[in-house]
Amino acid sequence: MTTVTQPDEATAAVTTWLGQFGEALTANDPARAAALFTEDSFWRDLIAFTWNIRTFEGRDEITRMLDATLSRVQPGGWKITDAREPAEAGGVTEAWIDFETSVGRGKGQLRLRDGQCWTLLTTLYELKGYEEPKGPRRPRGAEHGANRDRTSWLENRDQEAASLGVTQQPYVLIVGGGQAGIGLAARLRQLSIPTIVIDKRARPGDQWRSRYKSLCLHDPVWYDHMPYLKFPDNWPVFSPKDKIADWLESYTRIMELNYWPSTEAKSASYNETTGEWTVTVEREGQPVVLRPRQLVLATGMSGKPNVPSFPGMETFRGDQHHSSAHPGPDAYRGRRCVVVGSNNSAFDICGALWENGADVTMVQRSSTHISRSDSLMEIALSGLYSEEAVAAGMTTEKADLTFASVPYRIMHIFQIPVYEQMRERDKDFYERLEKAGFDHDWGDDNSGLFMKYLRRGSGYYIDVGAADLVANGDVKLVRGQVDHLTETAVVLEDGTELPSDLVVYATGYNSMNGWAADLISPEVADKVGRCWGLGSSTTKDPGPWEGEERNMWKPTQQEALWFHGGNLHQSRHYSLYLALQLKAREAGLPAPVYGLQEVHHRG
Ligand SMILES: Cc1cc2nc3c(=O)[nH]c(=O)nc-3n(C[C@H](O)[C@H](O)[C@H](O)COP(=O)(O)OP(=O)(O)OC[C@H]3O[C@@H](n4cnc5c(N)ncnc54)[C@H](O)[C@@H]3O)c2cc1C
């Protein structure tokens, strides 16, 4: 039976624990502090103690981290966040907390079991002396009074745009002006860091405009807000791709970003002695050399196409392209189309081709997980990201922190029941798919879509309708590996021949460190190693256990090189921590990194 304790008791338990914890930390006594945690505890730190993104498991790891950081961090002021009463359910007491360090202010989340800490999240949200000019600190805008040397906002903006990258070097150069690059740039602007974002495409938003025309975001609006600027109340639940493109383009203006369109980064090298990058870019056809101190690659997790190489591709007479280059279905009405792959892009493209009267065959090479969009929204996301959650007082910031408070090591335990529920709810759907011969899975440990995303960034489809086309045979399904292409067909290993006018390779994307290989050198790409994945020893996510996403939003083995990206939710939330790490360096604050990740995989 679940017992629910009165709020007063929960508050008392948290107050007692925080008091003891604060005292142990002030006394500089890591062992005493660690003894307040359960043996199977987790402490996730987003830069507050470690200037890193790390999760510590158990008392020994916690003790070691505190040994190394405590005298510098000098944490204090631990208290329950105003207006958020601790609550207890099922033997776990949850509380939101505030604290300070020697350099900043933090927020956190605490879960107690039997009076000991089971999970702790500590995050930094601002640096003392470098608070963002927002809310009560917002800029005045107008300058009242009389001033003969007055310059207008527009004149100041023009002056800045004309000088940055020409007479003044940016402190940060962000390569890639997708939603990740511009969200980070907006945060850096608030922190007064001279920043340029470059993108090889002609207009902000073009990466979405260039994708196949039927595409809409798979995630709902509440999950997708950009930093500072929320979508208005009339924004559709699933944003069509050209609409999100226009939003991102407007964002670059509203947030006053120094955005260089039609500018491609060609090469970059780092001088360890001067601490400066030399980045050669081509801006509207002209070479320009930039010398930033920090280089951020925001070039997209789904940006570096993994194009397969099959014998005979060079002789195939029809059209063939990677899914990222698929123009849409218009030219293929009445034509025979083979789509290699069975994840998100494959389904979306198959669906759009079928709607346009093409004869479509999907080649499934390995098993895929499918979640129906409605079920995902209702069962998995609605508590944090939905209209109901908003009505119940949930803000994007609270939702993001709640999400971040569950340690990756145990996240699958909470995910498994979600997918059990989904399996039951959509039983008929899964039976029909199976009958059609579709190889469906629920993830290695039945933990479903989100864990697949975190572990390998692939292997799933959020169904918005195309799965039914496969289930009822409108889109033909064949299973197997492609062996070769002839002039007119795709041939599978078992000899099946699929005559085709179009082949789409919906074969996914490569690790982001491939961008570093192209831009900097293969040596630097190897030095930093693979991006993404937790080391869960599940399919496509080899161990050892890392505890956090490899290389994302945190220091890498290459000084002054950073990777930023992920879905809209992750880019929004983690750009805060990346921005503060960059600010600390720009401001010359000591920011020693504890537990820099080791590299176990190159790509
Ligand atoms: C079909 C599809 C559907 C998706 N649906 C969703 C969804 O519903 N929700 C979601 O959150 N995510 C979705 N994603 C993932 C999606 O890729 C990201 O959310 C988003 O586009 C990533 O943003 P980003 O800024 O990290 O990278 P991108 O949007 O890929 O932007 C990277 C930018 O880097 C630029 N660039 C690359 N190299 C250079 C260079 N050398 N010099 C200059 N510029 C360069 C590119 O031009 C590009 O504009 C989807 C992806 C695909 C492919």
Side-chain angles (χ1 to χ4, degrees):
M1 198 182 74
T2 300
T3 52
V4 178
T5 317
Q6 293 306 309
D8 300 3
E9 289 176 42
T11 303
V14 173
T15 307
T16 304
W17 190 88
L18 280 181
Q20 292 169 342
F21 186 55
E23 273 171 29
L25 297 181
T26 306
N28 213 342
D29 191 341
R32 175 146 60 109
L36 295 165
F37 287 74
T38 63
E39 270 183 47
D40 62 346
S41 52
F42 300 90
W43 180 342
R44 183 165 197 229
D45 183 55
L46 305 182
I47 75 169
F49 279 64
T50 58
W51 284 113
N52 201 349
I53 295 183
R54 285 287 310 255
T55 300
F56 304 97
E57 301 186 2
R59 291 174 188 152
D60 288 351
E61 286 191 16
I62 290 170
T63 308
R64 277 200 294 279
M65 181 272 283
L66 287 175
D67 267 336
T69 59
L70 204 45
S71 51
R72 170 183 54 78
V73 178
Q74 296 170 23
W78 299 91
K79 65 180 179 87
I80 296 168
T81 304
D82 294 340
R84 295 199 74 183
E85 260 181 30
E88 195 264 10
V92 177
T93 301
E94 278 191 17
W96 291 92
I97 55 175
D98 295 320
F99 63 95
E100 292 194 9
T101 71
S102 54
V103 296
R105 297 182 190 89
K107 294 184 201 294
Q109 208 252 21
L110 177 66
R111 290 191 185 90
L112 297 182
R113 258 187 358 211
D114 297 327
Q116 286 189 309
C117 178
W118 173 39
T119 71
L120 176 63
L121 171 74
T122 48
T123 76
L124 208 62
Y125 69 90
E126 70 180 3
L127 295 169
K128 292 175 185 168
Y130 304 97
E131 292 82 0
E132 294 188 23
K134 62 180 187 185
R137 289 197 175 84
R138 74 172 72 231
R140 215 165 139 72
E143 186 200 333
H144 294 167
N147 179 1
R148 282 196 159 146
D149 298 323
R150 180 189 295 278
T151 49
S152 70
W153 172 86
L154 183 59
E155 283 165 338
N156 293 341
R157 273 295 289 140
D158 287 347
Q159 150 67 26
E160 182 188 1
S163 62
L164 196 62
V166 181
T167 53
Q168 185 204 355
Q169 285 302 316
Y171 181 76
V172 178
L173 176 67
I174 302 174
V175 180
Q179 42 97 356
I182 64 177
L184 176 66
R187 291 200 188 273
L188 296 178
R189 176 155 203 97
Q190 292 306 301
L191 291 166
S192 304
I193 300 182
T195 301
I196 296 178
V197 192
I198 63 168
D199 202 293
K200 60 188 175 194
R201 296 177 194 264
R203 281 168 64 194
D206 272 356
Q207 61 290 111
W208 285 101
R209 289 188 192 95
S210 71
R211 290 175 180 157
Y212 46 87
K213 75 173 193 179
S214 58
L215 178 65
C216 294
L217 286 188
H218 292 117
D219 297 321
V221 60
W222 309 279
Y223 194 70
D224 296 337
H225 296 299
M226 294 291 289
Y228 306 110
L229 191 62
K230 306 256 158 81
F231 293 110
D233 285 351
N234 65 346
W235 198 263
V237 174
F238 299 106
S239 188
K241 66 160 185 107
D242 295 286
K243 193 168 168 68
I244 194 83
D246 288 350
W247 179 260
L248 296 181
E249 186 167 21
S250 311
Y251 187 88
T252 61
R253 288 222 170 160
I254 293 168
M255 302 312 289
E256 303 178 15
L257 306 186
N258 295 300
Y259 190 101
W260 289 11
S262 304
T263 305
E264 182 166 0
K266 293 290 193 183
S267 67
S269 60
Y270 186 64
N271 185 328
E272 307 276 344
T273 317
T274 59
E276 203 175 75
W277 287 94
T278 301
V279 186
T280 304
V281 309
E282 204 170 278
R283 187 183 191 189
E284 287 164 0
Q286 298 301 315
V288 176
V289 175
L290 294 170
R291 300 190 186 283
R293 297 262 154 188
Q294 310 287 340
L295 180 64
V296 179
L297 298 187
T299 36
M301 236 187 85
S302 310
K304 208 162 173 42
N306 173 24
V307 185
S309 161
F310 298 122
M313 278 167 85
E314 65 294 347
T315 56
F316 180 68
R317 288 209 305 257
D319 290 353
Q320 51 180 333
H321 42 242
H322 186 262
S323 58
S324 57
H326 179 62
D330 296 351
Y332 301 106
R333 182 175 293 275
R335 313 289 290 277
R336 296 160 306 175
C337 306
V338 172
V339 177
V340 179
S342 54
N343 292 333
N344 259 332
S345 296
F347 270 99
D348 276 355
I349 290 170
C350 283
L353 284 167
W354 181 87
E355 281 180 354
N356 274 265
D359 170 46
V360 192
T361 303
M362 172 187 277
V363 178
Q364 184 175 29
R365 301 180 306 160
S366 57
S367 69
T368 297
H369 166 71
I370 302 183
S371 288
R372 304 196 91 170
S373 173
D374 286 350
S375 305
L376 199 63
M377 289 222 308
E378 280 170 40
I379 308 175
L381 285 179
S382 64
L384 295 178
Y385 302 99
S386 66
E387 210 58 57
E388 296 74 46
V390 172
M394 181 58 74
T395 63
T396 311
E397 289 70 25
K398 280 187 218 167
D400 288 352
L401 281 178
T402 308
F403 222 102
S405 71
V406 181
Y408 288 134
R409 176 77 95 174
I410 53 172
M411 194 177 267
H412 64 284
I413 298 171
F414 299 94
Q415 294 290 311
I416 289 168
V418 170
Y419 291 89
E420 276 168 4
Q421 220 179 314
M422 197 178 287
R423 195 195 291 252
E424 198 46 44
R425 176 189 157 122
D426 296 326
K427 202 163 174 265
D428 295 348
F429 166 75
Y430 291 112
E431 273 171 14
R432 278 190 293 120
L433 262 183
E434 219 166 88
K435 234 188 217 157
F438 192 81
D439 187 4
H440 181 262
D441 73 74
W442 294 90
D444 285 11
D445 50 5
N446 293 322
S447 58
L449 188 140
F450 195 62
M451 293 313 300
K452 270 195 161 186
Y453 172 69
L454 290 172
R455 290 166 172 172
R456 54 183 276 196
S458 66
Y460 52 82
Y461 169 50
I462 301 177
D463 179 35
V464 290
D468 275 326
L469 295 175
V470 171
N472 65 23
D474 285 335
V475 167
K476 287 171 247 166
L477 176 72
V478 291
R479 273 165 60 181
Q481 303 301 325
V482 175
D483 185 74
H484 66 278
L485 274 73
T486 65
E487 285 186 2
T488 55
V490 175
V491 183
L492 304 187
E493 278 177 355
D494 67 1
T496 306
E497 205 162 307
L498 305 168
S500 42
D501 304 304
L502 164 71
V503 183
V504 181
Y505 301 107
T507 41
Y509 297 88
N510 289 322
S511 164
M512 280 185 79
N513 70 329
W515 294 108
D518 293 352
L519 193 61
I520 308 166
S521 68
E523 292 73 31
V524 167
D526 284 351
K527 182 166 139 188
V528 299
R530 174 192 285 221
C531 297
W532 208 259
L534 303 171
S536 61
S537 299
T538 55
T539 306
K540 297 198 176 175
D541 183 25
W545 178 246
E546 310 262 1
E548 294 289 341
E549 295 291 358
R550 299 181 185 97
N551 276 323
M552 299 305 296
W553 320 294
K554 62 182 179 182
T556 67
Q557 290 285 345
Q558 171 59 56
E559 202 186 323
L561 177 67
W562 310 80
F563 293 91
H564 179 45
N567 63 24
L568 284 145
H569 147 84
Q570 290 167 309
S571 284
R572 169 184 68 241
H573 188 202
Y574 290 96
S575 57
L576 168 62
Y577 310 112
L578 178 47
L580 290 175
Q581 290 173 80
L582 293 166
K583 183 65 196 179
R585 283 158 177 80
E586 192 240 13
L589 300 176
V593 177
Y594 177 75
L596 185 66
Q597 67 173 9
E598 289 169 28
V599 173
H600 303 287
H601 305 283
R602 287 186 170 172

